[in-house]
Structures are given as structure tokens and as C-alpha cells.
């Protein structure tokens, strides 16, 4: 992914207690990479994906949820903004490039990570070939939606391949 971009993603309808397992291969060959700090770019891409996924559904009740996405996610300094700011402000010299899993309740309110349950991410670390990110048996905390996506807010290119998502 080029800097400040969101890559492949999937929006899922989930129930409390479901489990998600995700894995993706990655490659980068430059050391480190500072953050461009553009949380707005990443978040606006995610909101667009959510709106697209919701409005493409057949049910008018589901389409009506599109307004809830904007009102619940558009608040600057709200919980989802904090989630992305925490990513951008994490220390280390690894690229700010992630496998993300973000949960929303049925009213599209962001569900942060609380005691190991909720939204989270895995950051790329070792450069070179044969690297992967993995999050297994992530328990869905509430009925609602999950979006799994790749993002890069560092100033170098990171290449992803073979995104695999299993929903049990």
C-alpha cells in the first residue's frame, strides 16, 4: 500500500461470541518509516467502505443505517479517532502499516478494545520476504459489524498479499 491508503477490506455482519481469524502476507525492504500522521485519510476511506457496504444491501432498514455511520463515526476525537491516533503514535521504527479488525455495534458505534475484547490491529515488523501478520480466534464482543482491512500511514510502501479471513 502506498502511504495514507487503505487496502483490501471486508465488512461482515457478526454476532457476539463469533470468532474471526485473519492472516496476510507482507513485504517491505526499507528500514522504518515515520508516520505521515494523516488519520483523517485512513478514517475517511473506512467510512466510505462502510457506507458503500451498507447502501449496496437490499433492505431499506439496512440502508437507513448509513446516517448512523456518519453521526457515530464522524466525531473528531471520538473513540475511533483515538484508535487510529494510537496506531500513528505507537513507538518503534517499524512502518505504520497494519492488519486492522474494527468492531461496531448494531447502531454503528465503535467498540474499542476492553480487556482483550474488541477492535485491534497487528503492525508489520520484520522487513523482507516470508513475513505475515496474524490474529486468530478474535472473539466478537457484541452483535453488529466487523470490518477487516489493511492500512498504511507510514511514508514508505508496504506490500500485502493473500489476505485470508475466516468467520466462525
Amino acid at each position: 500500500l502506498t502511504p495514507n491508503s487503505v487496502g483490501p477490506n471486508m465488512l461482515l455482519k457478526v454476532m457476539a461470541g463469533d470468532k474471526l481469524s485473519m492472516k496476510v502476507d507482507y513485504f517491505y525492504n526499507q528500514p522504518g518509516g515515520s508516520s505521515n500522521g494523516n488519520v483523517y485519510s485512513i478514517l475517511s476511506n473506512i467510512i466510505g467502505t462502510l457506507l458503500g457496504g451498507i447502501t449496496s444491501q437490499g433492505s431499506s432498514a439496512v440502508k437507513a443505517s448509513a446516517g448512523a455511520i456518519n453521526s457515530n463515526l464522524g466525531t473528531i476525537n471520538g473513540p475511533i479517532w483515538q484508535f487510529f491516533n494510537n496506531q500513528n503514535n505507537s513507538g518503534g521504527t517499524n512502518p505504520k502499516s497494519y492488519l486492522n479488525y474494527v468492531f461496531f455495534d448494531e447502531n454503528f458505534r465503535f467498540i474499542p478494545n476492553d480487556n482483550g475484547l474488541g477492535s485491534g490491529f497487528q503492525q508489520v515488523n520484520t522487513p523482507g520476504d516470508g513475513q505475515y501478520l496474524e490474529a486468530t480466534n478474535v472473539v466478537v464482543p457484541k452483535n453488529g459489524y466487523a470490518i477487516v482491512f489493511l492500512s498504511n500511514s507510514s511514508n514508505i510502501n508496504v506490500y500485502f498479499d493473500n489476505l485470508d479471513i475466516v468467520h466462525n
Side-chain angles (χ1 to χ4, degrees), residues 119-139:
S119 300
F121 56 87
Q122 298 291 319
Q123 183 178 5
V124 301
N125 46 40
T126 308
D129 287 327
Q131 308 303 321
Y132 65 91
L133 297 174
E134 185 173 42
T136 58
N137 293 315
V138 175
V139 178

Side-chain angles (χ1 to χ4, degrees), residues 10-14 20 144-148 165-167:
M10 179 174 280
L11 176 65
L12 303 164
K13 175 69 175 146
V14 293
L20 298 178
Y145 300 89
I147 184 168
V148 178
I165 304 167
V166 177
H167 176 199

Side-chain angles (χ1 to χ4, degrees), residues 9 24 32 34-35 41 45 49 64 68 70 76 79 93 117 122 134 138 140 146 160 162 164:
N9 57 72
V24 66
S34 63
S35 170
S41 176
N45 282 328
T49 296
N70 276 333
I76 295 177
T93 59
L117 288 176
Q122 298 291 319
E134 185 173 42
V138 175
V140 174
F160 289 101
N162 301 321
D164 186 31

Side-chain angles (χ1 to χ4, degrees), residues 9-61:
N9 57 72
M10 179 174 280
L11 176 65
L12 303 164
K13 175 69 175 146
V14 293
M15 303 293 287
D18 289 358
K19 292 183 180 178
L20 298 178
S21 292
M22 302 143 282
K23 183 177 178 182
V24 66
D25 299 326
Y26 73 87
F27 170 83
Y28 74 94
N29 61 5
Q30 299 175 9
S34 63
S35 170
N36 286 329
N38 194 347
V39 173
Y40 178 79
S41 176
I42 301 289
L43 185 55
S44 64
N45 282 328
I46 295 307
I47 291 172
T49 296
L50 287 170
L51 289 172
I54 293 300
T55 57
S56 69
Q57 302 298 317
S59 163
S60 61

